[in-house]
Amino acid sequence: RSLLLSGLAMLLQLAAPAQAANPLFTDVLTADPAALVHGDRVYLYTGHDEAPDNNGFFVMHDWLLFSSNDMKTWQRHGPVMKATDFKWAKGDAWAAHAIARNGKFYFYTTVRHKDDKPGFAIGVAVADSPLGPFKDAIGKALVTNDMTTQTKNDWDDIDPAVFIDKDGQAYLFFGNVVPKYVKLKPNMTELDGEIKTIDLKDFTEAAWVHSKGDIYYLSYACGFPEKICYATSRSIDGPWQYQGILNEIAGNSETNHQAIIEFQGKSYFIYHTGAVPPAEGRPSGGRFRRSVAIDPLHYNADGTLQRVIMTSE
Ligand code: FUB
């Protein structure tokens, strides 16, 4: 296909809203969803899997954005940022999370740090609009690997999830194997105090915190291959009570990664799956070729969550 035709096809895709069925998008591979409800729209930020078939690892350069006012029709906005926009990072646009504050939009990301600090780090970028473009807010990592933690795990600073509590205090949750959290200063770009670890059963990665009523929910990828588990607490500082599995292994992707939102009175569980069958002109899914899916989330009267089973719609 000529460059001109490819360019034209891309423009048409950006212009044409997609009608959602699971998985949401089949012509572009999306992973690690993070959704932001702002005004009357949902902004869905995703990672972008570009690994060819049978590749042995992730190939992820940038983050994509989709938005919707009904959770069915999705407008495509294209990439909002790439990992190397952080000058101190060398690539790997892994899981990210966007949040609104102070009339601005903060985008917390997982990226691989340049070789002076090997391993993953968390960056923070800022924009005046949820559509971006996002720019590095501080010119260095917000959380970086110093290899002095007890686990000596150079993936330990991944998968940021920010939560703003009712009193206005913001928290950054993150981690791989060992879940951690830390307060953020009101400017959202500096840590406030020490990083604490959390006692959570079977934690692998992909923390996400939300609240409903008086209950805090901490959902996360557990075990490997990953399921999504969750725990609840009456305080953001824990202790967290394990509540079980929320979503089973997602197709053949081996990882799973969730976002939980409430929009127009309904709750949604947004995650990724590798279960995209091959089709004409469409890449098949897999461990490093994932696709975002959305299903309704239902609460029981006692505040526990009903298990989410992937549907085809
Ligand atoms: O997409 C790369 C990594 O895989 C994410 O950071 C993890 O949560 C897992 O989904």
Side-chain angles (χ1 to χ4, degrees):
R1 203 151 65 146
S2 78
L3 264 182
L4 185 67
L5 278 179
S6 307
L8 211 61
M10 190 179 269
L11 273 180
L12 285 173
Q13 279 173 15
L14 280 175
Q19 283 292 332
N22 278 332
L24 250 55
F25 315 106
T26 49
D27 57 330
V28 59
L29 294 168
T30 52
D32 303 330
L36 166 70
V37 176
H38 185 72
D40 61 357
R41 286 190 89 71
V42 173
Y43 295 87
L44 174 62
Y45 301 86
T46 75
H48 184 190
D49 273 342
E50 296 191 272
D53 263 340
N54 304 318
N55 205 58
F57 201 58
F58 300 108
V59 176
M60 304 179 81
H61 303 298
D62 54 12
W63 296 276
L64 305 178
L65 174 62
F66 307 84
S67 75
S68 174
N69 61 5
D70 61 6
M71 298 298 283
K72 292 189 181 80
T73 312
W74 291 92
Q75 183 76 43
R76 296 163 183 244
H77 301 283
V80 286
M81 194 176 189
K82 55 184 193 304
T84 51
D85 288 339
F86 295 101
K87 295 293 172 239
W88 47 269
K90 66 176 180 185
D92 287 328
W94 286 16
H97 185 200
I99 198 155
R101 181 122 226 215
N102 310 329
K104 294 196 182 295
F105 298 83
Y106 295 89
F107 193 54
Y108 298 84
T109 65
T110 309
V111 285
R112 197 183 286 271
H113 206 288
K114 281 187 174 163
D115 293 334
D116 54 322
K117 287 200 173 126
F120 281 87
I122 293 173
V124 56
V126 66
D128 292 329
S129 153
L131 304 179
F134 289 92
K135 306 257 184 252
D136 187 352
I138 54 176
K140 61 180 182 180
L142 177 64
V143 179
T144 193
N145 194 309
D146 57 11
M147 295 298 285
T148 58
T149 54
Q150 62 277 45
T151 57
K152 300 266 188 265
N153 170 7
D154 76 353
W155 288 31
D156 62 350
D157 303 323
I158 68 167
D159 291 4
V162 174
F163 175 77
I164 301 177
D165 208 352
K166 293 181 191 83
D167 62 2
Q169 177 63 55
Y171 297 85
L172 171 69
F173 287 76
F174 61 98
N176 172 276
V177 182
V178 178
K180 301 177 196 169
Y181 78 118
V182 59
K183 282 183 182 169
L184 290 173
K185 290 190 177 170
N187 64 15
M188 300 298 276
T189 60
E190 281 177 272
L191 306 186
D192 192 358
E194 61 176 297
I195 296 173
K196 297 178 183 165
T197 57
I198 308 171
D199 187 16
L200 268 184
K201 183 180 165 185
D202 240 1
F203 179 86
T204 305
E205 55 196 3
W208 178 274
V209 177
H210 76 281
S211 66
K212 192 167 173 73
D214 293 338
I215 305 179
Y216 296 91
Y217 296 83
L218 204 177
S219 51
Y220 55 95
C222 52
F224 198 86
E226 294 174 349
K227 302 175 183 184
I228 300 299
C229 296
Y230 79 105
T232 57
S233 172
R234 295 279 168 176
S235 157
I236 192 69
D237 291 307
W240 294 94
Q241 189 182 352
Y242 180 74
Q243 298 287 3
I245 294 167
L246 181 54
N247 182 235
E248 292 287 347
I249 292 168
N252 55 351
S253 77
E254 296 200 358
T255 61
N256 198 349
H257 194 119
Q258 79 299 348
I260 292 175
I261 56 162
E262 203 163 297
F263 182 61
Q264 294 172 346
K266 291 187 180 154
S267 295
Y268 294 93
F269 182 78
I270 311 175
Y271 56 108
H272 68 219
T273 168
V276 187
E280 179 80 37
R282 183 173 82 187
S284 63
R287 186 172 174 191
F288 306 114
R289 300 170 61 78
R290 302 159 296 175
S291 296
V292 168
I294 301 183
D295 273 298
L297 178 69
H298 299 290
Y299 292 80
N300 295 313
D302 64 359
T304 54
L305 301 173
Q306 292 178 15
R307 203 173 278 210
V308 178
I309 313 288
M310 183 173 164
T311 62
S312 57
E313 330 188 308

